[in-house]
Each structure stands twice: as structure tokens, then as C-alpha cells.
Amino acid sequence: MRRNELDDVAHTWDCHRLQRYRNMVEPPGNPIIMYTSPELYNSENKLAAVDAIEVEVCIQQCVFKDGQPCSDPAVFELCCELMVEYDLDIPQNSQEAILLYNALREAIYREL
């Protein structure tokens, strides 16, 4: 859900054209081309090489969620029950996720 939206924003940003305007510090152009071919804009490549072993160590030290959106099983179960009770749907985008969060939060406060 959020990943697709972020990918869309990144694609839109990468492909749009920066227009020239007065007092502009950066040159006009497409960000993706400026990033991949900085020499076309009289700039230098600022990318730094990263050792694959260091990346692997970082990945091993990360803690990834197990697919369950809540780290507390009791809260997750309560939210699932409230979604059924209040006929709330699984969100399809970030706006719906915010609405669901607010609805569940209000429902939990009412239950207290």
C-alpha cells in the first residue's frame, strides 16, 4: 500500500523536469538523468562504493516485522475483533489507513 505510493512519488520526481528560474543554484534538468549522468551537468559523481559484506552485516542486525502490523498480539487481536464488530475494512491506501487507525483508537478508548 504505502510502498506503491512511495514508488509512484519517486517515479514522478525522477521523471519531472526542473525548470530554470532566477537565482537558481542547481541546473535545470531531469533528476534521474542528473543523478545517473552528473558529468552532463558539469558535476561530479558523489556516489560512494559500499562493501556487500557490510550491507549483509547490517541486514543481519536488523529486526524485521513478521508480517503482523502490531508488535503486541493482544492489541492486534482486539483491533481485528473491533474491525469485525464495527464493519471496518482493511485499508487500501494511506488515507484509509489513517481513517482506520482513528476509528480503532476511538473504539479502544470507548472500550476502556
Side-chain angles (χ1 to χ4, degrees):
M1 167 182 57
R2 289 186 215 144
R3 184 83 201 129
N4 290 340
E5 291 176 12
L6 289 174
D7 289 343
D8 288 345
V9 169
H11 177 74
T12 300
W13 171 258
D14 287 344
C15 295
H16 88 287
R17 179 157 178 75
L18 298 173
Q19 300 295 321
R20 179 179 298 281
Y21 62 91
R22 251 187 354 237
N23 301 326
M24 185 172 190
V25 176
E26 296 84 15
N30 294 76
I32 191 69
I33 295 172
M34 297 169 83
Y35 175 77
T36 57
S37 303
E39 64 278 358
L40 296 175
Y41 296 90
N42 295 323
S43 185
E44 59 187 79
N45 188 342
K46 301 284 186 177
L47 294 178
V50 177
D51 183 25
I53 294 172
E54 290 179 25
V55 172
E56 186 60 36
V57 168
C58 290
I59 290 172
Q60 290 173 1
Q61 293 177 352
C62 288
V63 177
F64 295 96
K65 290 190 171 202
D66 59 1
Q68 186 168 298
C70 182
S71 59
D72 185 334
V75 172
F76 180 71
E77 184 177 333
L78 174 63
C79 288
C80 288
E81 290 173 7
L82 290 171
M83 286 178 70
V84 170
E85 182 180 334
Y86 289 97
D87 195 30
L88 300 171
D89 295 323
I90 295 174
Q92 300 301 312
N93 57 48
S94 58
Q95 288 81 16
E96 290 178 9
I98 292 168
L99 292 173
L100 175 62
Y101 169 79
N102 289 331
L104 289 172
R105 185 174 176 181
E106 288 176 24
I108 290 171
Y109 278 127
R110 281 194 299 268
E111 297 283 326
L112 294 177

